[in-house]
Amino acid sequence: MGLDLGYVLPKLMFLSKSDEISIDAITLFVGLLCTCIVVGHLLERNRWVNESITALIIGLCTGVMILIATGGRSSHILIFNEELFFIYLLPPIIFNAGFQVKKKHFFRNFLTINLFGVVGTLISFLVISLGAAKLFEKMNIGFLETGDYLALGAIFSATDSVCTLQVLNQEETPLLYSLVFGEGVVNDATSVVLFNALQRFDLSRFTSDVTFKFLGSLLYLFSTSTFLGVAVGLLSAYIIKKLYFGRHSTDREVALMILMAYLSYMMAELLYLSGILTVFFCGIVMSHYTWHNVTEKSRVTTKHAFATMSFIAEVFIFLYVGMDALDIEKWRIVSKGPGTSIGVSAILFALVVVGRAAFVFPLSFIANLTRSSPHEKIGYKQQVIIWWAGLMRGAVSMALAYNQFTRSGYTKLRGNAILITSTISIVLFSTVVFGLITKALVRFMLPMQKHTGNFSDEPLKSTEEPLLMNGHGSGTASNGHGVIHSGSLRMLLATPTNTIHHYWRQFDDACMRPVFGGRGFVPHTLESPMETLS
């Protein structure tokens, strides 16, 4: 049977009704993204508002206008899809976080960051899950299983420190920024890994064996995800160093870095690992090795390209959350008992506050016991900022809540609708209210010094600083009473982080950089950029 081109071609010249709706929606959404960027730029120096709050408010206003235009049928132009968030929006945000991180500050506080991000998240998870199970039994919100309560713990343990990080500065408050930033990334990874692990276990028969298998699964996911990210990052560095694409095409270098970064995330998802951890450590490895193997043009391009993609993804998420907050279907189900919804929201947020405090202050006390220098200790004011930064809930909580309690953003069950609207309410309240106060709180708790222009959170100082920064590698450091040799057991016990860093630098220079490249191990031209990722 032949193909009637006279019939097919006219059909291809016209868009279907669904295509027209999709194009209209995308066009409007892109226009809103542009509006958010312009308004955010104009309000950049505002004391109270930041990009996240701007996108939320514009999303809310747009949702109101769409509600009016559709006669109250819908408030958004795009349907929320968990895959859209986890596959397209989250990877550039997390990768850029690893790519831009100040590695010296991050790894110097690595133990404390993991203490907050892993142990702290588990403590918060237990407080929220147990609290919700006890308190919700007395409320008429519908049937909830054990898995639902545990899922709530994972959902509301996921922090969103974007607002705080927009206020803090890596150069002015390195310790505080490193802790808030590092904990935020590890916390998100832990929450997602925890949530995914809960989906795989039969929680109706929660025994000691299931508990140990669950903890073993978490450890396996963390270790294998980290290893995969490091492996893909090293592979990209080796390929570019050996083939040196820059001699032929800067475009190929940039394309390979972007694609391999995304490949690491997709491989983790394909193998049922943590894509967040994988792409984060891939970003760290790429910034340490791969970024130094490419040409100057590629360095400038990749650095700004990753930051731009991350920025657009963040604005997109907050804009959609603002629009979806007014979804009429969910609120119509909840409207039959508005008091119950308000009560659930209040209880969940109270549990978030208590769960956050339950680990920040005790774990800060434990972390301070391992810090010998007064400059390295986490002060009370800094602990308050860390506690405050983690009270905000954002896109990860929304995506996990949709994954647990809806299908493609829709639900007909009253209990699920209450939990979804409660999640939306908490995200909006915490982001807007806490976001508005954060900048003023940071300025109040950590006032600017008049003469130095720096925050009172001083840059990290250590008795081991000459050892870490000395380009000649003396291998010794002073403890105030004499010289401690870097290879001694005494130094390892006194300053374990600095000692490990010292041995890593020796191993890196002797074994890793000659193979995978990096700063000082690749040919540079006179036009090499002065700016480096450290």
Side-chain angles (χ1 to χ4, degrees):
M1 184 173 66
L3 180 65
D4 188 357
L5 294 178
Y7 174 79
V8 174
L9 288 177
K11 292 290 183 182
L12 295 177
M13 295 174 63
F14 297 97
L15 296 172
S16 66
K17 187 66 175 178
S18 60
D19 291 333
E20 291 178 1
I21 295 174
S22 177
I23 291 177
D24 291 344
I26 293 174
T27 302
L28 178 58
F29 212 92
V30 172
L32 290 173
L33 286 173
C34 295
T35 303
C36 290
I37 294 173
V38 172
V39 174
H41 176 74
L42 295 176
L43 298 175
E44 185 176 9
R45 297 185 181 277
N46 189 281
R47 183 179 180 182
W48 307 100
V49 182
N50 54 44
E51 297 283 356
S52 304
I53 298 174
T54 301
L56 272 176
I57 294 175
I58 291 178
L60 282 170
C61 294
T62 306
V64 171
M65 289 188 289
I66 295 175
L67 270 178
I68 297 173
T70 59
R73 292 192 304 273
S74 176
S75 65
H76 45 67
I77 52 179
L78 296 177
I79 298 176
F80 184 87
N81 190 324
E82 298 84 13
E83 293 182 357
L84 170 69
F85 173 78
F86 283 108
I87 295 180
Y88 300 109
L89 298 179
L90 192 59
I93 297 175
I94 303 300
F95 176 81
N96 184 64
F99 193 76
Q100 303 286 354
V101 68
K102 295 287 185 180
K103 293 184 288 296
K104 290 177 182 178
H105 294 149
F106 178 81
F107 285 104
R108 193 175 293 169
N109 298 293
F110 190 71
L111 295 178
T112 305
I113 287 172
N114 279 279
L115 192 64
F116 285 157
V118 179
V119 179
T121 302
L122 291 175
I123 293 174
S124 178
F125 162 76
L126 291 175
V127 170
I128 296 172
S129 297
L130 294 175
K134 292 294 183 182
L135 297 174
F136 286 174
E137 288 180 355
K138 303 176 182 179
M139 304 178 68
N140 183 25
I141 63 172
F143 178 73
L144 293 178
E145 299 178 347
T146 302
D148 294 324
Y149 291 117
L150 294 176
L152 284 174
I155 290 168
F156 287 101
S157 294
T159 65
D160 188 347
S161 304
V162 173
C163 292
T164 306
L165 291 176
Q166 289 175 348
V167 176
L168 298 177
N169 186 286
Q170 291 194 75
E171 306 299 332
E172 294 174 342
T173 56
L175 173 60
L176 189 58
Y177 187 96
S178 176
L179 293 177
V180 172
F181 167 79
E183 189 238 335
V185 174
V186 177
N187 166 276
D188 284 346
T190 305
S191 299
V192 175
V193 169
L194 196 59
F195 183 87
N196 290 335
L198 290 171
Q199 309 299 311
R200 303 173 191 172
F201 284 86
D202 182 10
L203 300 173
S204 60
R205 301 175 181 177
F206 205 77
T207 62
S208 58
D209 291 338
V210 174
T211 303
F212 284 115
K213 289 181 180 179
F214 179 72
L215 294 176
S217 176
L218 286 180
L219 181 61
Y220 168 78
L221 286 173
F222 269 93
S223 57
T224 52
S225 300
T226 301
F227 175 79
L228 179 61
V230 172
V232 175
L234 290 176
L235 179 62
S236 70
Y238 183 80
I239 291 175
I240 289 182
K241 181 176 182 291
K242 286 298 181 182
L243 300 181
Y244 196 51
F245 283 106
R247 293 176 181 172
H248 308 287
S249 173
T250 297
D251 296 338
R252 291 191 178 95
E253 285 182 339
V254 176
L256 186 66
M257 288 185 69
I258 293 175
L259 290 175
M260 291 204 70
Y262 191 64
L263 177 65
S264 70
Y265 185 89
M266 295 310 300
M267 287 178 63
E269 294 297 313
L270 183 65
L271 298 173
Y272 300 100
L273 303 177
S274 171
I276 292 180
L277 273 178
T278 298
V279 78
F280 176 71
F281 280 98
C282 181
I284 291 179
V285 172
M286 276 194 173
S287 70
H288 188 66
Y289 297 109
T290 314
W291 190 78
H292 295 279
N293 296 343
V294 299
T295 59
E296 177 183 354
K297 291 181 180 179
S298 297
R299 297 182 200 181
V300 175
T301 302
T302 51
K303 185 175 182 180
H304 291 288
F306 292 139
T308 301
M309 289 188 291
S310 173
F311 174 73
I312 293 175
E314 288 179 1
V315 175
F316 184 100
I317 291 169
F318 281 103
L319 181 61
Y320 184 86
V321 168
M323 296 173 63
D324 192 62
L326 298 175
D327 182 27
I328 199 66
E329 291 296 328
K330 304 182 188 72
W331 292 107
R332 184 178 288 122
I333 298 174
V334 174
S335 63
K336 299 176 182 178
T340 303
S341 179
I342 296 174
V344 170
S345 301
I347 290 173
L348 285 174
F349 189 71
L351 291 173
V352 167
V353 173
V354 174
R356 182 77 182 169
F359 77 83
V360 169
F361 299 104
L363 294 185
S364 295
F365 175 78
I366 295 174
N368 284 337
L369 296 177
T370 65
R371 297 169 178 259
S372 56
S373 173
H375 298 292
E376 295 180 339
K377 292 186 180 297
I378 308 171
Y380 177 73
K381 292 183 178 179
Q382 294 169 327
Q383 294 176 32
V384 172
I385 297 296
I386 295 172
W387 168 75
W388 181 274
L391 293 178
M392 283 174 273
R393 296 296 176 266
V396 175
S397 295
M398 286 286 295
L400 294 180
Y402 273 105
N403 189 295
Q404 178 70 19
F405 299 113
T406 71
R407 291 185 178 180
S408 299
Y410 293 104
T411 181
K412 296 295 183 181
L413 300 176
R414 181 171 179 272
N416 289 355
I418 289 175
L419 292 175
I420 286 292
T421 53
S422 296
T423 304
I424 294 173
S425 301
I426 292 172
V427 169
L428 286 176
F429 176 81
S430 62
T431 302
V432 175
V433 175
F434 285 78
L436 287 173
I437 302 174
T438 294
K439 188 176 292 188
L441 178 67
V442 171
R443 299 291 176 180
F444 174 76
M445 299 293 289
L446 303 174
M448 298 281 288
Q449 295 181 357
K450 293 182 180 179
H451 300 291
T452 62
N454 294 328
F455 283 94
S456 57
D457 175 3
E458 297 181 18
L460 289 174
K461 296 179 182 178
S462 171
T463 55
E464 297 294 327
E465 195 68 15
L467 172 66
L468 296 179
M469 301 303 177
N470 191 348
H472 302 290
S474 61
T476 61
S478 172
N479 65 351
H481 302 286
V483 174
I484 303 176
H485 293 280
S486 61
S488 67
L489 179 62
R490 182 182 172 190
M491 177 178 171
L492 178 62
L493 296 175
T495 54
T497 304
N498 293 330
T499 307
I500 293 172
H501 183 272
H502 168 71
Y503 283 122
W504 160 249
R505 289 297 296 269
Q506 288 185 332
F507 174 76
D508 192 28
D509 292 342
C511 302
M512 299 295 290
R513 293 190 183 190
V515 177
F516 299 104
R519 186 189 307 165
F521 285 82
V522 291
H524 290 292
T525 63
L526 295 177
E527 292 80 15
S528 294
M530 299 297 293
E531 182 181 27
T532 58
L533 291 170
S534 56

